[in-house]
Amino acid sequence: MEILLSISCALMAGLLMSRVVKPLGLPAVTGYLIAGVIIGPYCLGLLGIEGLGFLSMEYVEKFGLISDVALGFIAFSIGNEFRLSDLKKTGKQATVIGIFQALVATLFVDLALIALSFILGEDVLPKSVCITLGAVATATAPAATLMVVRQYKAKGKLTDILLPIVALDDAVGLIVFAVSFGISKAMVRGEMDIVSIVVNPILEIVVSLILGAVMGYIFSEMEKLFHSRSKRLSVSVTFVFLTVALTMIKIELGSVILSASPLLTCMMLGTVFCNVCESSEELMDRVDRWTTPLFILFFVISGAELELSVFTSLAAVLIGIVYILFRSLGKITGATFSARLMKCDEQIVKHLGITLLPQAGVALGMSVTAMQLGDYEGGLIRNIILFSVLIYELVGPIMTKNALIKAGEIIPEGRKSAKVLNIHRKK
């Protein structure tokens, strides 16, 4: 009963807060995150009333399955942006920009934190932590970006190239993190492991793409067996659930690990489905409507997961500020330079970098892996990422919205809704 009450409380809090932030011109996703903080362990949770908010971080973790499923649907939706007809126009640009801006962000963070390490000392900020944080800087949160695009019905050249780049970030991030983390472990333990640095990350990407492609093809064939809209929607939901479940399986062959990334696999599922199934656009529209409450719950839970206790560590706050500043600078500089190099539209050159700042789930997953470095190093990385996610998740969606408005791809809401205005603009 307590879990159902908590879910109801989370949904209600998210819906009400979205109405509170609307007159302020803030995206609904920001309202959901704030609602999560309010009903989280550091606010209403302190009252200790079961069913009214989340009592502790351990209690929040009980809802991890909901977050896993929601991320699967988010990745599936982004995968539908990789239609071959569209990729012929933006595929090369998105690939170059996606790789370049991620690597520049890593370079900027590495150099800034290593310089700070010399100032604070190796005992306060170890070099292994600097290198690992540089790798985490690659990751961008697809969920927040997608929600802003959907809420305001953003449409245009910047939006078209943004979602593929956000998706590519995860593939690039997995490789960069695996290599950097392997180097960091070698620095801490004094041993180099080529398998974990090179072999496992490549295998994870290959397994993810193959599994997603196979599931996408089977999914497309299964849709042909049903004709009613309700049953075809049910098949769509079933396959996303099934794909997320399969990514949880890990096979260990000595030091070699065969596993799949939930985000990459579900993106590939959506990519194959949208290019094989003729009615994919209609089905995706129905899936989007079905998942709205799920996404609200996901962001409220994400808000509840934000660790406000990180502010008690001055070292983590200082390092976190440097991390945020130089990751942002790297993302913006890398995106601007590469977009200009690829001769993109001027609006893309000016505003793309800002839209790549949100950071959440993937970065948090990397910080959990980083705990293997040791109690101090892993704990420091975890606190810095928690601090940065808190800032990025609350501010990032607002900046993304403003960038899309400046690019002319979102019409500000007046008396009419954004949806009506954008439909009118298309005509």
Side-chain angles (χ1 to χ4, degrees), residues 20 22 71 74 87 104 188 196 208 227-228 297 341 364 426:
V20 172
K22 185 175 181 180
L71 280 173
I74 288 166
L87 288 178
V104 171
V188 173
S196 62
S208 299
H227 302 288
S228 70
L297 193 56
L341 182 67
L364 289 172
K426 290 176 187 177

Side-chain angles (χ1 to χ4, degrees), residues 109 133 136-137 139 141 306-307 310-311 316-317 319-325 327-328 357-360 363-364 367 380-397:
V109 172
L133 286 172
V136 179
L306 296 177
E307 286 268 10
V310 296
F311 289 106
V317 171
I319 299 168
I321 291 172
V322 173
Y323 171 84
I324 291 170
L325 290 176
R327 176 184 178 270
S328 302
L357 296 186
Q359 188 175 48
L364 289 172
S367 70
L380 181 60
I381 291 170
R382 178 74 172 167
N383 283 338
I384 292 168
I385 296 304
L386 286 169
F387 173 71
S388 68
V389 165
L390 176 64
I391 303 301
Y392 276 128
E393 282 296 89
L394 293 177
V395 178

Side-chain angles (χ1 to χ4, degrees), residues 257-296:
I257 300 174
L258 294 178
S259 62
S261 162
L263 283 173
L264 282 180
T265 306
C266 290
M267 283 179 193
M268 193 62 180
L269 173 75
T271 299
V272 172
F273 174 67
C274 76
N275 285 288
V276 174
C277 181
E278 295 180 357
S279 57
S280 62
E281 288 193 41
E282 177 191 350
L283 286 170
M284 276 307 304
D285 183 58
R286 295 187 175 279
V287 171
D288 290 346
R289 296 177 186 178
W290 183 87
T291 55
T292 297
L294 180 65
F295 288 171
I296 294 174

Side-chain angles (χ1 to χ4, degrees), residues 297-423:
L297 193 56
F298 167 74
F299 281 105
V300 174
I301 293 172
S302 297
E305 288 176 329
L306 296 177
E307 286 268 10
L308 302 186
S309 60
V310 296
F311 289 106
T312 60
S313 172
L314 294 179
V317 171
L318 173 61
I319 299 168
I321 291 172
V322 173
Y323 171 84
I324 291 170
L325 290 176
F326 280 88
R327 176 184 178 270
S328 302
L329 185 61
K331 286 281 183 181
I332 294 171
T333 302
T336 301
F337 179 82
S338 55
R340 196 174 298 280
L341 182 67
M342 297 306 295
K343 299 180 180 179
C344 294
D345 185 85
E346 191 61 27
Q347 294 299 330
I348 296 176
V349 174
K350 287 182 179 179
H351 305 294
L352 177 62
I354 294 293
T355 64
L356 298 175
L357 296 186
Q359 188 175 48
V362 177
L364 289 172
M366 291 176 176
S367 70
V368 172
T369 302
M371 294 298 292
Q372 298 173 21
L373 286 178
D375 292 339
Y376 178 76
E377 291 86 350
L380 181 60
I381 291 170
R382 178 74 172 167
N383 283 338
I384 292 168
I385 296 304
L386 286 169
F387 173 71
S388 68
V389 165
L390 176 64
I391 303 301
Y392 276 128
E393 282 296 89
L394 293 177
V395 178
I398 302 170
M399 298 179 73
T400 298
K401 175 195 172 184
N402 291 337
L404 290 170
I405 289 176
K406 290 179 181 178
E409 300 189 9
I410 291 177
I411 297 179
E413 291 180 299
R415 293 184 179 179
K416 295 184 178 180
S417 70
K419 180 177 179 180
V420 172
L421 288 167
N422 277 283
I423 290 174

Side-chain angles (χ1 to χ4, degrees), residues 171-209:
V172 177
L174 281 173
I175 297 174
V176 174
F177 179 77
V179 173
S180 297
F181 185 59
I183 294 171
S184 296
K185 284 197 296 184
M187 293 172 66
V188 173
R189 302 174 183 176
E191 57 183 23
M192 185 67 71
D193 183 4
I194 299 298
V195 173
S196 62
I197 295 175
V198 179
V199 178
N200 285 339
I202 292 176
L203 280 176
E204 182 172 0
I205 291 173
V206 172
V207 171
S208 299
L209 296 178

